[in-house]
């Protein structure tokens, strides 16, 4: 069993042991599987611009944009996350405070129109429980999004080494049991 910080550290260590080639190959597999899950219908998809230790979904972003899907990425604003439409990855810049690559333009979308969200995380269970990086931005946004559009489909995106057997809160403390 791990507390939040211990689990995040354990996952960070696992990720650090992945070679660049392993990351590239596993990212390609993830993108291929996501393509299957997303289907061919045009839709509104919220995605993320990956950190170096996250699956590289940028090829999928480009492909979905070319297929005329509406693609949006998160933007951090005053302790709040909002989704903004992009036309290309060239529309993004690195936030000097958070170091997150986010939309440069101010083109927020009506988040109630989002059909699918690809969600990054530090750890996931196969049943969909998620542990984030620790600031709670995605957790708050997901909670709000479920109210805005209960039909939104959420898909957690991670490497195999980030999957744990269980993540749950016991007496206010998050614990995880690893495979």
């Amino acid at each position: 069993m791990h507390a939040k910080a211990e689990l995040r550290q354990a996952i960070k260590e696992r990720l650090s042991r992945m070679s660049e080639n392993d990351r590239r190959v596993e990212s390609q597999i993830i993108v291929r599987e996501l393509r299957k899950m997303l289907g061919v219908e045009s839709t509104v998809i919220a995605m993320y611009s990956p950190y170096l230790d996250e699956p590289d979904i940028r090829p999928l972003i480009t492909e979905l944009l070319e297929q005329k899907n509406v693609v949006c990425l998160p933007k951090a604003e005053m302790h709040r996350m909002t989704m903004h439409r992009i036309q290309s990855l060239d529309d993004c810049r690195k936030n000097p405070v958070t170091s997150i690559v986010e939309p440069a333009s101010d083109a927020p979308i009506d988040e109630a129109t989002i059909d699918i969200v690809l969600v990054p995380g530090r750890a996931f269970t196969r049943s969909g429980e998620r542990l984030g990086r620790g600031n709670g931005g995605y957790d708050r946004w997901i909670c709000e999004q479920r109210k805005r559009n209960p039909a939104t489909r959420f898909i957690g995106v991670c490497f195999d080494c980030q999957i744990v057997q269980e993540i749950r809160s016991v007496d206010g403390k998050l614990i995880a049991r690893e495979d």
Side-chain angles (χ1 to χ4, degrees):
M1 300 286 201
H2 294 284
K4 283 183 187 183
E6 292 168 341
L7 178 58
R8 285 188 185 101
Q9 184 60 37
I11 296 297
K12 183 177 180 179
E13 289 171 13
R14 289 180 190 181
L15 290 168
S16 72
R17 290 191 295 267
M18 286 183 76
S19 71
E20 188 174 320
N21 186 58
D22 289 344
R23 277 183 212 281
R24 184 182 52 75
V25 169
E26 199 167 333
S27 290
Q28 290 171 345
I29 292 167
I30 289 167
V31 165
R32 184 181 67 225
E33 292 303 312
L34 287 170
R35 275 189 204 111
K36 291 178 193 175
M37 294 173 80
L38 296 176
V40 293
E41 287 184 31
S42 289
T43 190
V44 180
I45 306 170
M47 303 178 82
Y48 64 92
S49 184
Y51 284 114
L52 293 175
D53 64 351
E54 293 176 329
D56 185 1
I57 62 168
R58 291 174 299 175
L60 181 61
I61 293 171
T62 300
E63 184 179 316
L64 291 169
L65 287 166
E66 289 170 355
Q67 295 170 353
K68 305 301 181 206
N69 289 281
V70 175
V71 175
C72 51
L73 296 177
K75 191 171 189 177
E77 300 172 322
M78 304 288 288
H79 304 290
R80 187 169 178 262
M81 192 171 88
T82 56
M83 293 292 173
H84 295 251
R85 184 174 184 169
I86 62 167
Q87 303 298 323
S88 161
L89 285 172
D90 294 335
D91 295 343
C92 300
R93 62 157 172 74
K94 192 177 217 177
N95 181 311
V97 176
T98 64
S99 295
I100 296 171
V101 175
E102 58 186 24
S105 67
D106 192 24
I109 67 159
D110 176 0
E111 293 174 341
T113 65
I114 296 173
D115 300 302
I116 298 171
V117 181
L118 299 187
V119 183
R122 240 355 183 188
F124 289 92
T125 65
R126 294 200 184 278
S127 63
E129 296 164 293
R130 174 187 177 274
L131 175 67
R133 289 185 176 263
N135 69 9
Y138 260 96
D139 295 328
R140 286 187 298 277
W141 186 86
I142 289 169
C143 184
E144 291 172 14
Q145 182 61 21
R146 285 188 170 131
K147 293 173 189 170
R148 280 187 291 268
N149 182 353
T152 299
R153 183 172 159 209
F154 296 89
I155 302 171
V157 180
C158 69
F159 292 115
D160 283 341
C161 69
Q162 294 174 269
I163 297 173
V164 296
Q165 189 171 349
E166 184 177 35
I167 300 172
R168 62 187 167 97
S169 182
V170 175
D171 296 330
K173 290 181 85 173
L174 183 109
I175 59 172
R177 191 172 71 221
E178 298 186 54
D179 293 334

